[in-house]
């Protein structure tokens, strides 16, 4: 094909207070002709850093934090290329990753999503693909002994930290479910793609470094919001894919567990873990009471 690989792809990045990491992320995209940055009302210098880091960055600046999925959908609406490469600001592509993903997408035209192999800051492989959420809940918690895939492989789930998407597939399913403010959007997207007849494929020959949690500077409020939405979104997927009755039963089970754990951690002086489980409890109860996920939480 005569067309340069980079012209077939638009990078889409959703940012929120990501000034610490955005320049490195964009610095690895210098060969990509177009980058779309959707900023969720950052209070730091994310936008200024992005403009310094990439000459062809198009910025959509939201006046409030819309959440990851809704912001990504705005970015998808700005894409005119065949593929979109959705990246977290704390993900950095390694050389050749885009060419490897395009080659795999051409080889597997039924693939709606493809994911590179991710490595953590120490260089170790980070699990970036898995079974579908409800399937992997029945698997052992520790699965370190599982062999790494050596070539392209179908998966039930690909990490949204670095997700290469065929725009035809994204348009077919309408993008991310905007009701999910944060967490489990990638699980839900991969499931929607499968139900629409597309596959999700991990491509280990393409690699990216992933800081993990590096998109937003850690602070007490952001940690509480993180676990609130983790609790809320988990039950939302239960209701969406298994029914409201099952979600409520799961919610009561989780509420009892989080309550006991929060109290236990408080009694033994592990305040951080107590706050984590209290936030998970709060998100769980919010969903059970019919409250939508919202930036105010």
């Amino acid at each position: 094909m005569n067309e340069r690989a980079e012209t077939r792809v638009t990078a889409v990045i959703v940012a929120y207070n990501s000034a610490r990491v955005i320049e490195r992320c964009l610095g690895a995209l210098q060969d990509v002709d177009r980058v779309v940055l959707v900023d969720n009302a950052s209070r730091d210098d994310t936008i200024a850093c992005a403009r310094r880091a990439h000459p062809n960055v198009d910025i959509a600046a939201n006046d409030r934090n819309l959440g990851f999925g809704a912001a990504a959908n705005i970015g998808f609406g700005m894409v005119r290329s065949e593929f979109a490469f959705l990246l977290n600001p704390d993900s950095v592509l390694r050389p050749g990753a885009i060419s490897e993903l395009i080659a795999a997408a051409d080889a597997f035209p039924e693939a709606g999503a493809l994911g590179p192999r991710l490595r953590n800051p120490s260089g170790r492989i980070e699990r970036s693909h898995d079974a579908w959420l409800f399937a992997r809940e029945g698997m052992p918690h520790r699965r370190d002994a599982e062999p790494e895939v050596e070539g392209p492989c179908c998966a039930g789930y690909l990490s949204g930290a670095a997700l290469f998407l065929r725009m035809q597939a994204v348009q077919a399913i309408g993008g991310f479910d905007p009701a999910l403010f944060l967490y489990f959007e990638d699980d839900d997207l991969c499931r929607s793609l499968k139900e629409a007849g597309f596959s999700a494929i991990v491509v280990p020959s393409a690699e990216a470094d992933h800081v993990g949690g590096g998109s937003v500077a850690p602070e007490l409020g952001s940690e509480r919001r993180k676990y609130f939405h983790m609790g809320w979104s988990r039950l939302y997927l239960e209701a969406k894919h298994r029914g409201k009755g099952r979600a409520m039963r799961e919610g009561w089970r989780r509420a009892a567990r989080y309550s006991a754990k929060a109290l236990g951690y408080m009694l033994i002086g592990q305040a951080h873990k107590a706050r984590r489980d209290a936030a998970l409890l709060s998100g769980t109860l919010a969903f059970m009471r019919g409250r939508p996920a919202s930036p105010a939480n």
Side-chain angles (χ1 to χ4, degrees):
M1 179 172 283
N2 293 328
E3 187 179 10
R4 286 195 312 116
E6 292 82 0
T7 66
R8 300 176 65 189
V9 181
T10 301
V12 177
I13 300 168
V14 175
Y16 176 66
N17 294 339
S18 305
R20 297 183 309 137
V21 292
I22 194 68
E23 291 190 61
R24 186 165 175 241
C25 174
L26 293 180
L29 296 172
Q30 295 302 315
D31 291 336
V32 177
D33 286 348
R34 186 160 183 249
V35 175
V36 171
L37 176 73
V38 184
D39 184 74
N40 263 333
S42 292
R43 299 186 302 273
D44 63 5
D45 294 331
T46 295
I47 291 178
C49 291
R51 286 183 172 137
R52 285 196 302 267
H54 199 286
N56 296 322
V57 61
D58 289 335
I59 296 173
N62 296 327
D63 58 6
R64 61 188 178 90
N65 190 345
L66 300 179
F68 178 81
N73 288 344
I74 291 173
F76 294 150
M78 299 169 66
V79 173
R80 301 293 177 264
S81 56
E82 183 181 1
F83 301 106
F85 202 163
L86 182 64
L87 289 166
N88 277 6
D90 60 359
S91 294
V92 181
L93 294 186
R94 292 193 173 191
I98 290 177
S99 295
E100 292 289 334
L101 289 162
I102 289 178
D106 288 342
F108 304 103
E110 77 285 359
L114 302 99
R117 172 175 282 164
L118 299 181
R119 292 188 181 273
N120 65 23
S122 69
R124 296 190 53 155
I125 295 173
E126 175 182 307
R127 184 180 292 276
S128 60
H129 68 282
D130 214 325
W132 155 240
L133 174 65
F134 298 139
R136 67 179 182 263
E137 285 188 337
M139 297 178 179
H141 181 64
R142 294 297 301 271
R143 292 154 59 199
D144 298 341
E146 289 184 5
E148 287 297 327
V149 296
E150 297 181 358
C153 177
C154 284
Y157 157 85
L158 296 175
S159 171
L163 195 56
F164 193 82
L165 296 162
R166 194 183 303 274
M167 283 304 299
Q168 176 190 358
V170 172
Q171 291 158 1
I173 65 171
F176 286 104
D177 184 340
L180 286 163
F181 183 80
L182 193 63
Y183 291 107
F184 297 107
E185 309 95 332
D186 38 14
D187 270 292
D188 187 60
L189 183 84
C190 290
R191 190 63 177 181
S192 296
L193 288 170
K194 180 177 176 60
E195 291 173 349
F198 297 96
S199 60
I201 296 178
V202 60
V203 183
S205 58
E207 293 196 343
D209 296 317
H210 183 222
V211 174
S215 299
V216 179
E219 56 185 46
L220 189 60
S222 66
E223 282 290 295
R224 192 190 79 82
R225 287 190 294 273
K226 166 184 173 179
Y227 289 111
F228 174 95
H229 289 296
M230 198 175 287
W232 191 98
S233 296
R234 174 60 185 79
L235 283 190
Y236 178 84
L237 255 65
E238 191 80 24
K240 180 175 179 177
H241 296 283
R242 287 176 160 176
K244 187 65 180 290
R246 185 157 179 168
M248 294 301 287
R249 292 192 295 274
E250 178 69 14
W252 284 118
R253 186 184 72 80
R254 287 173 178 263
R257 179 158 59 93
Y258 296 145
S259 297
K261 289 178 66 179
L263 178 60
Y265 284 129
M266 189 180 302
L267 291 174
I268 62 175
Q270 295 193 30
H272 176 73
K273 290 183 177 180
R275 289 193 297 266
R276 176 199 65 192
D277 287 293
L280 284 164
L281 173 63
S282 179
T284 298
L285 294 177
F287 177 85
M288 295 173 70
R289 291 167 181 158
R291 286 180 53 195
S294 118
N297 293 313

